Amino acid sequence: MTQEFDFDLAIVGAGVGGHGAALHAVKQGLKTAIIEAKDMGGTCVNRGCIPSKALLAASGRVRELQDRHHLHNLGISVGGVSFDRQAIADHALDLVSKIRNDLTGSLTRLQVETIHGWGKLLGPQKLSVLAEEGEKIVTARDIILSTGSTPFVPPGIQIDGKTVYTSDDAVKLNWLPDWVAIIGSGYIGLEFSDVYSALGCEITMIEALDNLMPGFDRDIARIAQRLLIEPRDIETHTGTLALKVTPGSPVVIELADAKTKDVKDVIEVDAALVATGRIPATKNLGLESVGVQTDRRGFIPVDDRMHVLLDGEPVPHLWAIGDATGKMMLAHAASAQGIAAIENILGNDRAIDYRSIPAAAFTHPEISYVGLNEEQAKALGTEAGFAVGSVRTYFKANSKALAEGEPDGIAKVIYRKESGEILGAHIIGIHASDLIQEAANAIAARQSVRDLAFTVHTHPTLSEVLDEAYKRAA
Ligand SMILES: Cc1cc2nc3c(=O)[nH]c(=O)nc-3n(C[C@H](O)[C@H](O)[C@H](O)COP(=O)(O)OP(=O)(O)OC[C@H]3O[C@@H](n4cnc5c(N)ncnc54)[C@H](O)[C@@H]3O)c2cc1C
Ligand SMILES: NC(=O)c1ccc[n+]([C@@H]2O[C@H](COP(=O)([O-])OP(=O)(O)OC[C@H]3O[C@@H](n4cnc5c(N)ncnc54)[C@H](O)[C@@H]3O)[C@@H](O)[C@H]2O)c1
């Protein structure tokens, strides 16, 4: 390190993005500080991935144990199933605290200096950290901004944190409303509909766009609707805005046509979960001190090497990663971006390949994907002059899925017809979140279905669902 700076690297935000970057930085010998205003571990650990997956795990078991038909087919019968809401909530809380402690401990062990307070750029290579004890000035040769995101609440929706709340409160599972409205059918809406329906709540799902789960491949979303919505106690309103939501007992929701904004119905429910997307936490970050402007939605402009951009050009020694960049709001994307930023700081050219980053919704059954959906692949094919192929295989034809009594689901593989290059894979079915990884690795290596068709998969495993797809496409 040159002596003119306090640190080689200062990271603002100790979420998974900042944490991943810090671990990689110290491994590479950089003297590193991490600045956190609130909870170590950020959204994923405290209010996101971790508590929500704990709730999904427990409620998923309740669902399975209550499914007499499924158990009967396996030769099992159980007596009545009961659960303790607070104990399920505690399982999530305990896990959060364990993982937050592990994460904090790993930083201490590796001698990353943790500074508590609000980080703000004062100019190139200089930060202020404001804490109750006062202001501290920190200089660093390189600075990474990893400030994450917060829930987006549309105008007209009033949050009280008790009857109308976002995922920040939903993960606490403070109560189980008899009738809950879920506004938004994206990841959070879908995962919480899985938790709430397993634990006996009646649900009304409100989605502004014309289709539920608009972020997923259309075929997969249709099957998801058949498996995750229709058989459950879930009423749906698509093309519908939750125009006005007033907390209380009952919660009053004005439903409007999403296109005309005309109010078409008013419903009264016990609670409403607002799951309408997330916005970047990039206010009061001092970006103006280096002349950088966020985009229209507040995201920090970056290139694929994670340089912060000013008029399209990299700002020297300034980097941004994670949800604050709005590229892919996922934990593993944030840490991958952090690692890429460190490599570039060290002079090792590394760009992020978003096409090979997988995503999953941890519903029962799970949904996962990587790369392009069919619509996107066809649009790219038309633009670049290539033909697109797609194949499907079915869990009901997979021996392991049948042995598990879990025959629902498909895998869909999308590829370039002439070269066989795999462009995207989409799975709905048991363990879809694990199965997608091999397709992600194949996309990262730009492999062809013709080569993949010769790779040998263990029998009998769920992975043969993809094996079968590669063979069909080859
Ligand atoms: C309910 C829910 C479930 C999710 N489930 C999954 C999942 O299963 N899988 C998955 O991949 N992703 C999931 N996500 C998304 C995932 O949580 C985010 O993509 C991830 O947390 C982003 O990491 P980050 O480091 O960019 O930001 P964050 O985790 O948001 O961390 C940013 C940190 O920066 C701090 N900060 C902000 N501004 C400042 C400042 N000026 N000074 C100091 N500190 C500051 C914040 O306090 C925060 O701790 C989920 C999200 C939610 C809400
Ligand atoms: N398993 C996971 O990886 C996971 C789980 C949860 C969250 N996340 C991340 O968190 C982010 C936020 O999740 P999310 O579900 O809030 O957002 P999302 O963008 O996935 O879905 C939001 C949905 O709300 C709808 N919507 C917006 N305003 C509306 C309104 N006024 N009335 C009705 N519908 C409206 C949108 O059309 C969209 O379908 C996601 O981008 C995701 O990356 C990931």
Side-chain angles (χ1 to χ4, degrees), residues 156-298:
I157 300 183
Q158 216 184 314
I159 300 284
D160 69 353
K162 293 187 179 72
T163 58
V164 181
Y165 47 83
T166 66
S167 55
D168 285 357
D169 284 303
V171 293
K172 298 177 194 155
L173 202 72
N174 281 331
W175 63 307
L176 284 171
D178 287 340
W179 185 7
V180 56
I182 298 182
I183 306 170
S185 70
Y187 282 89
I188 295 178
L190 205 56
E191 288 188 345
F192 271 95
S193 75
D194 208 68
V195 171
Y196 282 135
S197 60
L199 301 184
C201 309
E202 191 181 336
I203 297 167
T204 294
M205 189 175 255
I206 301 158
E207 169 57 52
L209 298 181
D210 288 338
N211 297 307
L212 291 179
M213 301 162 261
F216 293 108
D217 180 271
R218 287 307 327 134
D219 285 337
I220 298 289
R222 262 193 293 273
I223 297 168
Q225 182 150 352
R226 189 163 58 69
L227 298 178
L228 301 174
I229 307 286
E230 284 160 14
R232 300 178 179 175
D233 204 354
I234 306 177
E235 179 199 22
T236 60
H237 296 269
T238 51
T240 303
L241 275 181
L243 199 62
K244 190 167 177 218
V245 180
T246 312
S249 185
V251 172
V252 181
I253 305 182
E254 281 184 18
L255 298 178
D257 182 290
K259 293 190 185 82
T260 63
K261 310 271 188 306
D262 291 338
V263 175
K264 50 182 192 182
D265 203 356
V266 177
I267 58 169
E268 294 184 347
V269 291
D270 297 311
L273 164 61
V274 182
T276 46
R278 294 180 64 84
I279 47 171
T282 52
K283 292 212 172 93
N284 192 23
L285 203 49
L287 286 167
E288 64 291 345
S289 70
V290 287
V292 170
Q293 280 190 334
T294 57
D295 72 9
R296 194 176 45 82
R297 294 179 303 157

Side-chain angles (χ1 to χ4, degrees), residues 55 72 98 111 119 139 167 193 204 219 223 226 261 286 296 317 326 336 341 351-352 368 450 462 466:
L55 298 180
H72 177 78
K98 182 198 170 340
Q111 293 175 334
T139 62
S167 55
S193 75
T204 294
D219 285 337
I223 297 168
R226 189 163 58 69
K261 310 271 188 306
R296 194 176 45 82
H317 303 290
I352 282 280
S368 62
R450 288 175 206 144
L462 297 169
L466 275 180

Side-chain angles (χ1 to χ4, degrees), residues 36 72 158 307 348 350 366:
E36 173 55 55
H72 177 78
Q158 216 184 314
H307 291 106
N348 308 325
R350 184 156 290 269
E366 296 177 339

Side-chain angles (χ1 to χ4, degrees), residues 91-165:
H91 165 55
L93 268 178
D94 293 347
L95 187 66
V96 164
S97 120
K98 182 198 170 340
I99 293 186
R100 188 176 49 229
N101 289 341
D102 289 353
L103 177 143
T104 310
S106 68
L107 292 172
T108 314
R109 244 188 344 274
L110 292 167
Q111 293 175 334
V112 174
E113 186 160 330
T114 302
I115 307 172
H116 293 283
W118 183 264
K120 185 173 176 175
L121 285 169
L122 289 179
Q125 299 169 298
K126 196 172 180 186
L127 288 161
S128 124
V129 183
L130 198 59
E132 270 175 21
E133 314 82 75
E135 188 184 26
K136 183 173 177 170
I137 305 299
V138 172
T139 62
R141 196 182 57 213
D142 285 275
I143 292 173
I144 297 181
L145 303 174
S146 181
T147 51
S149 65
T150 55
F152 164 65
V153 179
I157 300 183
Q158 216 184 314
I159 300 284
D160 69 353
K162 293 187 179 72
T163 58
V164 181
Y165 47 83

Side-chain angles (χ1 to χ4, degrees), residues 328 330 332-333 336-337 352-359 369-371 440:
M328 249 182 158
L330 296 171
H332 46 284
Q337 289 175 323
I352 282 280
D353 174 26
Y354 291 104
R355 192 185 289 177
S356 65
I357 299 182
Y369 79 89
V370 59

Side-chain angles (χ1 to χ4, degrees), residues 13 17 36-37 42-44 49 53 118-119 147-148 322-323 329-332:
E36 173 55 55
T43 306
C44 178
C49 332
K53 263 78 265 180
W118 183 264
T147 51
D323 281 10
M329 286 185 150
L330 296 171
H332 46 284

